[in-house]
Amino acid sequence: MRVLLVEDDARLGAALSDVLRVHGMEVEHVTTARMALARLNAQTEAVVLDLGLPDRDGFEVCSRIRRTHDVPILIATARSDLTARVHGLNLGADDYLVKPYDVRELLARLHAIARRHRREPAALGPGIAESVADEPELRTTPTTDDAQPVEELPPLSAEEVVIDVSSRTVIKGGKSIPLTRKEFDLLALLARHPGVVFRREQIISEVWQSTWDGLGRTLEVHVAAVRSKTKSPGLIETVRGVGYRLAIGAASSTWS
């Protein structure tokens, strides 16, 4: 198993690497979020992720990995409170292990998430298996090696909503649409994977950084506001009992 170990404590990381290698794993140890995101690739078969990284919070790293790679993630951290554990799992982690732990438990959990991952179809998205069973392929960030020729995009229709994440602007029919910060964050989250269903708790976790069930009504209000302000009631589709998704073809987006 090829493991990316993200651990800012160099001594602990070195010791864990040695143990994992003794048990037949190929380990790459990195100490920062930047290095983790740079070193993750299609050959990585599992990620062991510490949350206390020097350059970025581990939750953000977990979220970014889950958006772009279908790889098992095991959070291994000293943060033991329930809110942190629930938040990590909602962001897409496959398991959560609290320090200090016995290395035998780490090995068992690593093998367990790897087994579950091998049994599941590779196309499943972040926590939305039953909702995207018909998705034809996994959406991943292309690498330099598998980059394809850029196809000419069709012209925008007057009804299409254009989302520019770098400038945090939303435009429709040539006119800028003023959204609040949370409204934009909600729309940008859904726009990362048009057509893919995001669970309500996943949206609340990522946009509001909370696990509070009481934010469900707030989410509904923000969805309604985005539909109203963009004058596109079909822009965000409700998936009853699950969550929301961006309608395919209703919007285009640019990312930096």
Side-chain angles (χ1 to χ4, degrees), residues 89-131:
L89 295 172
N90 278 337
L91 289 178
D94 296 88
D95 202 352
Y96 195 106
L97 185 60
V98 176
K99 297 177 182 176
Y101 52 77
D102 191 301
V103 71
R104 292 172 296 181
E105 184 176 5
L106 173 68
L107 288 166
R109 289 177 181 266
L110 261 180
H111 285 300
I113 63 174
R115 284 197 302 272
R116 290 198 298 270
H117 182 72
R118 284 194 292 268
R119 286 199 298 266
E120 295 171 353
L124 297 184
I128 49 177
E130 69 277 21
S131 304

Side-chain angles (χ1 to χ4, degrees), residues 24-100:
M25 301 181 187
E26 297 180 24
V27 183
E28 181 170 11
H29 174 212
V30 296
T31 57
T32 67
R34 182 180 296 277
M35 293 170 65
L37 296 172
R39 299 304 300 171
L40 186 69
N41 56 51
Q43 283 69 51
T44 305
E45 295 177 282
V47 176
V48 178
L49 175 63
D50 183 22
L51 295 179
L53 302 176
D55 56 340
R56 194 168 297 178
D57 190 89
F59 283 135
E60 183 179 348
V61 177
C62 178
S63 179
R64 292 188 61 174
I65 292 175
R66 180 51 67 232
R67 288 172 182 166
T68 56
H69 289 77
D70 183 32
V71 60
I73 303 171
L74 169 59
I75 292 179
T77 177
R79 299 183 196 175
S80 59
D81 59 283
L82 177 61
T83 299
R85 298 200 301 269
V86 172
H87 187 49
L89 295 172
N90 278 337
L91 289 178
D94 296 88
D95 202 352
Y96 195 106
L97 185 60
V98 176
K99 297 177 182 176

Side-chain angles (χ1 to χ4, degrees), residues 40-221:
L40 186 69
N41 56 51
Q43 283 69 51
T44 305
E45 295 177 282
V47 176
V48 178
L49 175 63
D50 183 22
L51 295 179
L53 302 176
D55 56 340
R56 194 168 297 178
D57 190 89
F59 283 135
E60 183 179 348
V61 177
C62 178
S63 179
R64 292 188 61 174
I65 292 175
R66 180 51 67 232
R67 288 172 182 166
T68 56
H69 289 77
D70 183 32
V71 60
I73 303 171
L74 169 59
I75 292 179
T77 177
R79 299 183 196 175
S80 59
D81 59 283
L82 177 61
T83 299
R85 298 200 301 269
V86 172
H87 187 49
L89 295 172
N90 278 337
L91 289 178
D94 296 88
D95 202 352
Y96 195 106
L97 185 60
V98 176
K99 297 177 182 176
Y101 52 77
D102 191 301
V103 71
R104 292 172 296 181
E105 184 176 5
L106 173 68
L107 288 166
R109 289 177 181 266
L110 261 180
H111 285 300
I113 63 174
R115 284 197 302 272
R116 290 198 298 270
H117 182 72
R118 284 194 292 268
R119 286 199 298 266
E120 295 171 353
L124 297 184
I128 49 177
E130 69 277 21
S131 304
V132 295
D134 296 331
E135 287 291 316
E137 61 182 10
L138 171 68
R139 292 174 171 84
T140 58
T141 300
T143 64
T144 302
D145 294 337
D146 60 11
Q148 300 295 318
V150 177
E151 297 181 359
E152 185 176 352
L153 297 175
L156 296 175
S157 71
E159 295 302 311
E160 186 170 350
V161 175
V162 180
I163 306 162
D164 187 334
V165 176
S166 60
S167 63
R168 295 183 66 84
T169 56
V170 177
I171 296 173
K172 181 181 179 182
K175 296 182 179 179
S176 178
I177 300 171
L179 297 182
T180 67
R181 183 166 61 90
K182 292 300 185 186
E183 290 167 357
F184 182 87
D185 290 344
L186 164 64
L187 183 58
L189 173 65
L190 300 181
R192 287 183 181 276
H193 301 290
V196 173
V197 181
F198 285 74
R199 291 182 180 276
R200 294 166 59 87
E201 56 267 31
Q202 183 183 6
I203 297 172
I204 291 172
S205 182
E206 297 209 26
V207 175
W208 280 269
Q209 300 292 300
S210 172
T211 59
W212 183 41
D213 291 340
L215 285 171
R217 178 57 181 163
T218 300
L219 171 59
E220 294 174 0
V221 171

